[in-house]
């Protein structure tokens, strides 16, 4: 198993991310948008359940992966509107991102989906963490305090 990279290798603009998301399926688009805007890692994304979302209060309850504590992430109302139709479509399954049998999708699914979308958008291949760090960079550029961004993208 390889170690996680701590330094992003690429930084994408909002226009580039929009172009990339235009080359994804709705299922993939929601996963990648959550990674970018909420800072969720691939491990966190595949573990999200329907009960992880409290869209009335603009919250996502992130399962504990690398620590013993769950964390709560506040998301923008526009992101809630973006997620709502997807969650309605996935009713009857425990996981937000799962196969039709209810088995959660894997990190490999995320990696392959991202690789396909990058290829279709004529972008260089990168890791999902590079997209996450682009989102973190946007928050820092907007003046969000470093401590807040660091906690969100932990």
């Amino acid at each position: 198993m390889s170690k996680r990279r701590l330094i992003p290798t690429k930084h994408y603009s909002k226009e580039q991310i929009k172009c990339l998301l235009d080359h994804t399926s709705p299922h993939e688009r929601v996963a990648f948008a959550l990674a970018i805007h909420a800072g969720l890692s691939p491990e966190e994304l595949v573990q999200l359940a329907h009960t992880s979302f409290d869209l009335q209060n603009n919250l996502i309850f992130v399962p504990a992966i690398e620590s013993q504590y769950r964390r709560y992430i506040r998301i923008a109302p526009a992101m809630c509107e973006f997620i709502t139709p997807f969650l309605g479509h996935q009713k009857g399954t425990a996981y937000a991102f799962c196969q039709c049998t209810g088995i959660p999708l894997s990190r490999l699914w995320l990696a392959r989906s991202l690789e396909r979308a990058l290829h279709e958008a004529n972008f260089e291949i990168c890791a999902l963490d590079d997209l996450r760090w682009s989102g973190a960079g946007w928050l820092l550029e907007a003046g969000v305090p470093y401590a807040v961004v660091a906690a969100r993208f932990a």
Side-chain angles (χ1 to χ4, degrees):
M1 182 180 251
S2 64
K3 291 186 176 184
R4 283 178 78 178
R5 285 187 318 204
L6 299 177
I7 307 294
T9 59
K10 296 175 181 56
H11 181 78
Y12 293 101
S13 69
K14 292 179 183 179
E15 293 78 24
Q16 289 174 311
I17 294 294
K18 183 181 179 324
C19 177
L20 175 65
L21 293 178
D22 286 343
H23 287 86
T24 60
S25 71
H27 203 74
E28 296 164 343
R29 194 170 301 128
V30 170
F32 297 146
L34 284 171
I36 295 163
H37 297 290
L40 300 180
S41 70
E43 294 86 2
E44 293 168 334
L45 281 169
V46 298
Q47 292 299 316
L48 288 176
H50 285 284
T51 56
S52 301
F53 296 90
D54 179 0
L55 299 181
Q56 292 175 339
N57 294 311
N58 302 336
L59 291 173
I60 299 176
F61 304 101
V62 182
I65 302 293
E66 295 181 7
S67 71
Q68 61 188 29
Y69 302 106
R70 287 174 38 151
R71 61 189 174 115
Y72 303 93
I73 296 177
R74 183 163 303 282
I75 56 176
M79 182 60 105
C80 291
E81 292 173 15
F82 181 70
I83 295 170
T84 300
F86 167 77
L87 290 177
H89 175 71
Q90 295 292 326
K91 288 291 184 199
T93 60
Y95 292 96
F97 300 100
C98 62
Q99 301 171 10
C100 57
T101 59
I103 297 171
L105 294 170
S106 67
R107 291 180 54 210
L108 182 59
W109 169 81
L110 283 171
R112 286 184 178 165
S113 297
L114 177 61
E115 187 175 325
R116 184 192 45 74
L118 289 164
H119 178 73
E120 289 178 10
N122 293 320
F123 287 4
E124 290 182 40
I125 299 300
C126 72
L128 187 59
D129 280 335
D130 291 322
L131 301 182
R132 292 177 62 221
W133 289 114
S134 293
W138 302 339
L139 290 174
L140 292 170
E141 289 170 3
V144 176
Y146 179 81
V148 173
V149 175
R152 180 177 213 143
F153 287 78

